[in-house]
Every structure is written in structure tokens, then in C-alpha cells.
Amino acid sequence: MKNFYEQLVRPLLFLLEPETAHRATIELLRGASHFDLALRMLRYFKPPPRPKTLFGLNFPNPVGLAAGLDKNGVALPAWAALGFGFIEIGTVTAKAQPGNPEPRIFRLPKQQALINRLGFNNDGADAIAERLRKLRGSGRWPAVPVGINLGKPRATTIENAADDYLYSFRLLHDFADYITLNVSSPNTPGLRDLQEPTALSELLQAIGKESGAAAKPVLIKISPDLSPVQLEAILKVCVENGVAGIIATNTTLDHSSIPAELDEEGGLSGAPLCKKATALVRDIVTKTAIPVIASGGICDAESALEKFQAGAELVQLYTGFVYRGPRLLREIIEA
């Protein structure tokens, strides 16, 4: 059973178009989330505990699910059963949107990478808040921290972005153990402009004035493509506004490692991002005391340990989980 996913499940999923495989996986986990027997079966993969406390939250282990895999928060009990130490859903926008035209996810198996240009396709804050309300009432709410990742709809201008983040925050913050402000996806036009110091400061100040904001750790997710000067400015704003943590990093627009015949427009994730993301984690840790959650290129125990050694407090999986499956969690935690 050690390589059950890689030997049996992944080959079947990879026969499907990437987004179809993604939808099928999410639907299976959504279904499993409603049945105790299915959840008990998923717990076969659950790694041993390795507790960690951060932001005043208790994590059963330091390996989490990155935003993007379960955008609409439909399978929280299943992710917890598989052994994730925390779960981040989203990115959620104020209003539902379909995202960019398909195809918009591309596999690069030789590189252990993905390129995506999904564009924040999600059900919207109202529908997701109602879904989470029902889950909480069902008694199946996961016993691990849940983060909710918020973003800007495509049609919203940068000048009006704070209003949309606030709309989502008001609806969803009661369900979140922490909130992440996504200001770095490369697939929503203009979104990365929110990393500019004035815009980021205005957004953080707007969130900070909200009722209940003081009780929730607020994190930001940043780009791996920042210059040293840009990073310094962002860290200064984060310190000034009491940001609880930084998620480093989002996907990259640097496709220099990808052969031209395989390249597609969108954000690159997976193994090619590993060294760049680690360098950014190390840079953040040397410049500030703000805790870092590392995300980017974690495809095996070695790459996870690299992130911890660089100073990350927690790590998140996305592309590595697509290629390696639940065994990856156990390998990281045992290492």
C-alpha cells in the first residue's frame, strides 16, 4: 500500500485531462466527507502526530493543504482524515466567477510541475459561507485549523479591491482559524499591484478595522517574483500593520526551466519553483520575525526539510500532492 497512489491512482487520474481529474478527485473527497466509513478508510494514510503551535493555534502536524486544491471548501473532513495538519480553502472572491477559459491546467510530469491559469474560479463568498455553516452544524467540522484564502474578482478594480476583500471577510471570518489575503496570483489581471506598499497598507488597514479582525490571524500570500526592494517594502508594511504570517510563495511567472514546446501562459508550480521559494523564505526570515508558511516546490521529504531549515514554521502542499499523493505527508513528518 506504500505506493498505492503513485502506482494505481495517479496513472488513472493522469489519463484524464488535468482539470477533469481535479474535479473528479474533489467530488470523490466531497462524497467521502459525508460517510464515517469512508473517512475511516482515508485515515489509513494519516501520519503520526507532530504537534506545532503557531498564531495561538494548535496544529497536529506542520504540513497543510495549500489554497487552490479545494477552492470551495467542499471536502474539509476528508482532507483532515488524510492527515493534513491544517487546511486552507479558496481562493474565495466576493462574487462567484467562472475563472479563465479552459484548458487552464497543464501537467509537466518530467519536471514534476503544473502550469495553471484558473483565475479564481469559485462559488463566491455567500455560497461558501452557507456551505461552511452547514458543515459546522453537521458535527463533521475538522479538528485541525482551517484557513480561508481571499482574493479579488477579475472585474473589480484595484481601487475597489478592499471593498471586495471586506465583503468576503465579513461573511467568512467566523469560520476561519486564520485568514489569508491573496495579493499575488499571476492569473488575475492587476492583482499583484496589491503588493505595492500603499495599496497593501490600505487593504490591511481596512481589514484591521473590521469587527473581529483582532481575534483572527491575518496572513498575506506573496509572489516568488519579487525583487529584493519590493520584498523589503512589503515586509515593512506587514510589520507596521501587525500581519501574523506570510505565505511564501504563490506560483511563478518565471518559466525559464520549462522547454518552450511545453510552455503555457500561467503560474508555474512544483519542483521548478523549489529553490526560488526556499530562497525567499530564507530572505524573509533574516529580515523579520514574522512567521513564514512555505509553499512551493515541496515534492519530497528533502524539499520540505529544506524549507524548515530555511526558517519556515509550517509548509503547504499542492503540486507535490498531485504527483505523490497522501504518502508525501507521512514521508515529510517521519523525516
Side-chain angles (χ1 to χ4, degrees):
M1 293 292 285
K2 178 179 177 181
N3 296 312
F4 173 76
Y5 177 85
E6 291 176 77
Q7 291 181 356
L8 180 61
V9 177
R10 186 181 71 189
L12 292 174
L13 287 173
F14 278 29
L15 291 174
L16 304 173
E17 187 274 333
E19 190 160 1
T20 302
H22 188 169
R23 290 188 186 117
T25 302
I26 294 299
E27 285 305 310
L28 285 169
L29 293 174
R30 181 207 287 256
S33 294
H34 295 286
F35 296 99
D36 290 338
L37 177 60
L39 293 173
R40 284 198 297 271
M41 291 175 67
L42 290 177
R43 290 188 188 106
Y44 172 86
F45 298 100
K46 194 170 185 176
R50 192 169 179 89
K52 173 82 176 181
T53 301
L54 190 68
F55 317 130
L57 303 173
N58 296 318
F59 298 82
N61 69 65
V63 183
L65 182 78
L69 265 169
D70 190 353
K71 291 176 178 290
N72 294 309
V74 301
L76 273 70
W79 298 119
L82 282 168
F84 282 99
F86 61 108
I87 305 159
E88 187 168 322
I89 67 168
T91 296
V92 181
T93 55
K95 301 300 179 186
Q97 60 179 24
N100 294 321
E102 297 182 32
R104 52 195 182 177
I105 306 178
F106 306 90
R107 298 189 194 102
L108 297 88
K110 188 175 180 180
Q111 289 79 21
Q112 277 199 293
L114 297 173
I115 295 173
N116 94 80
R117 50 174 182 260
L118 287 160
F120 291 169
N121 54 308
N122 75 106
D123 293 341
D126 290 271
I128 293 170
E130 182 59 26
R131 179 175 296 127
L132 297 179
R133 187 173 294 110
K134 288 179 179 177
L135 177 62
R136 181 171 281 173
S138 74
R140 294 182 180 274
W141 192 267
V144 302
V146 174
I148 303 182
N149 184 301
L150 306 181
K152 177 189 84 68
R154 184 182 186 92
T156 301
T157 64
I158 291 299
E159 292 73 24
N160 296 320
D163 291 337
D164 276 12
Y165 281 92
L166 284 170
Y167 183 87
S168 299
F169 181 87
R170 289 164 185 158
L171 283 170
L172 293 165
H173 82 277
D174 281 344
F175 302 105
D177 292 295
Y178 70 88
I179 293 285
T180 298
L181 306 179
N182 187 344
V183 293
S184 55
S185 169
N187 300 316
T188 295
L191 184 74
R192 287 186 170 187
D193 292 346
L194 286 172
Q195 294 178 123
E196 188 273 325
T198 300
L200 182 59
S201 184
E202 289 175 355
L203 174 60
L204 289 169
Q205 287 175 25
I207 294 290
K209 291 175 183 175
E210 278 298 297
S211 174
K216 299 290 178 180
V218 174
L219 288 64
I220 67 163
K221 187 168 186 175
I222 64 172
S223 163
D225 302 324
L226 298 166
S227 70
V229 171
Q230 289 173 316
L231 179 62
E232 290 269 11
I234 287 171
L235 295 179
K236 183 174 185 292
V237 171
C238 288
V239 170
E240 290 171 350
N241 287 277
V243 166
I246 296 172
I247 299 180
T249 67
N250 215 312
T251 58
T252 181
L253 288 174
D254 177 5
H255 293 199
S256 58
S257 62
I258 303 303
E261 66 273 15
L262 299 177
D263 203 10
E264 293 282 349
E265 181 182 352
L268 174 67
S269 61
L273 179 55
C274 186
K275 297 300 181 185
K276 190 171 191 175
T278 301
L280 193 64
V281 170
R282 188 177 291 112
D283 208 12
I284 295 167
V285 169
T286 60
K287 290 179 167 65
T288 179
I290 298 174
V292 178
I293 299 177
S295 180
I298 301 170
C299 298
D300 52 25
E302 182 181 1
S303 51
L305 292 174
E306 182 181 284
K307 296 291 193 292
F308 289 122
Q309 289 162 0
E313 300 285 349
L314 306 169
V315 298
Q316 291 180 321
L317 307 180
Y318 186 133
T319 303
F321 187 75
V322 170
Y323 282 98
R324 298 290 318 286
R327 176 66 194 174
L328 179 57
L329 279 80
R330 180 175 290 272
E331 285 184 9
I332 292 171
I333 290 162
E334 288 179 347

